[in-house]
């Protein structure tokens, strides 16, 4: 087990691909692939964990099926930040969706999540974000995205531990 | 006008970006941006021009709005080839959608079309296809895609000339 990142230390690996404008993330969870898919597709679960601790999330619309679409708003005091996209594919082990932060409305990334069954009720999430330039990719990395990612996954850890997923 | 590709010779420029796994296409049309958007979003128009001359197109589902989705099937004799995706954004000058050829179901590209108004009822289409590896991009280029692209745009030229768009 020494090569498996444990959820105890809650480490998310975030890497910039050297060849293509892609961010790759890997994170282990104490849940099955089916639980992880549910946490990413069930509106009421998703809104409980996604995003940084200092934001409240409000889902505007949510239709997590192949060909569906979604929009949510992060509320941080008097500030609101919108995000939207469509679900290209929703299946048992893989999600593919588009993603736009509405503060940068012409920007769009293609997000792929693959859920690797590690056995013993554990799952490794492999996530990639693909954009059309290295400049956009590096701006995403420089934006502080890891705060929202790490806060969100820690909340998801707690939901899994509480038996809520 | 010497730097403008005319529709008389019907040239589509298809280029591989040297830095990112993107295919860029440029094509001029004797139509307004509004007509070009209509040709790409109206189900009954789209099916009349998309794809190679030796295929009949059948639309399975089609909802060309931000957050909608689509699927069509190319019928070539007894062979059928399915394609599907979702519409990330549909607006007056720009379309962003995902694209999967179902013969390669894990493959997905992010397609962006921008319609540049050249004046005098003419429009330059700028299209990009973004994938997550140079290998996938080069396989797309080697697949003979230019036949379908050129046949399709020539059919669209004829629809525009006939006043059908």
């Amino acid at each position: 087990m020494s090569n498996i990142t444990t959820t105890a230390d809650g480490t998310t690996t975030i890497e910039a691909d050297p060849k293509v404008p892609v961010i790759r993330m890997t994170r282990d969870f104490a849940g099955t692939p089916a639980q992880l898919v549910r946490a990413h597709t069930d509106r009421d679960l998703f809104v409980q964990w996604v995003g940084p601790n200092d934001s409240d999330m409000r889902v505007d619309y949510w239709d997590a099926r192949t060909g569906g679409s979604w929009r949510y708003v992060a509320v941080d005091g008097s500030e609101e930040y919108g995000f939207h996209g469509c679900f290209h594919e929703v299946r048992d082990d893989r999600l593919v969706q588009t993603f736009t932060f509405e503060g940068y409305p012409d920007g769009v990334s293609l997000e792929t999540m693959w859920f690797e069954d590690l056995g013993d009720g554990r799952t490794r999430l492999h996530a990639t974000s693909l954009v059309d330039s290295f400049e956009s990719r590096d701006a995403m990395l420089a934006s502080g995205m890891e705060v929202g990612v790490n806060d969100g996954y820690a909340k998801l850890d707690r939901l899994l531990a509480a038996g809520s997923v």
Side-chain angles (χ1 to χ4, degrees), chain A residues 84 99-109 131-132 136:
Chain A
H84 72 269
F99 179 96
T100 284
F101 165 51
E102 295 170 3
Y104 183 50
D106 283 357
V108 53
S109 60
V131 292
D132 68 355
S136 297

Side-chain angles (χ1 to χ4, degrees), chain A residues 13 15 17 20-26 94-99 109-114 125-131 137 140 145 153:
Chain A
T13 304
E15 294 177 322
D17 190 292
V20 288
V22 163
I23 298 169
R24 298 187 192 282
M25 299 200 304
T26 308
R94 188 175 183 249
L95 304 175
V96 183
Q97 59 196 88
T98 59
F99 179 96
S109 60
L110 185 65
E111 311 277 316
T112 302
M113 279 168 272
W114 174 57
L125 166 64
H126 300 266
T128 63
S129 298
L130 170 66
V131 292
R137 193 270 303 274
M140 285 171 69
M145 61 172 278
Y153 289 158

Side-chain angles (χ1 to χ4, degrees), chain A residues 43-44 46-47 57-62 70-73:
Chain A
R43 171 188 181 136
D44 296 332
F46 184 76
V47 76
M57 290 292 170
R58 187 181 75 232
V59 173
D60 182 16
Y61 52 81
W62 189 264
W70 62 273
R71 180 172 186 270
Y72 62 77
V73 178

Side-chain angles (χ1 to χ4, degrees), chain A residues 54-56 74-81:
Chain A
D54 53 8
S55 291
D56 288 318
V75 183
D76 182 4
S78 62
E79 302 289 325
E80 296 203 346
Y81 305 93

Side-chain angles (χ1 to χ4, degrees), chain A residues 136-157:
Chain A
S136 297
R137 193 270 303 274
D138 295 342
M140 285 171 69
L141 284 169
S143 70
M145 61 172 278
E146 71 278 8
V147 175
V149 166
N150 285 321
D151 282 2
Y153 289 158
K155 283 183 276 180
L156 178 50
D157 280 342

Side-chain angles (χ1 to χ4, degrees), chain A residues 4-15:
Chain A
I4 295 179
T5 304
T6 68
T7 54
D9 58 11
T11 303
T12 306
T13 304
I14 303 178
E15 294 177 322

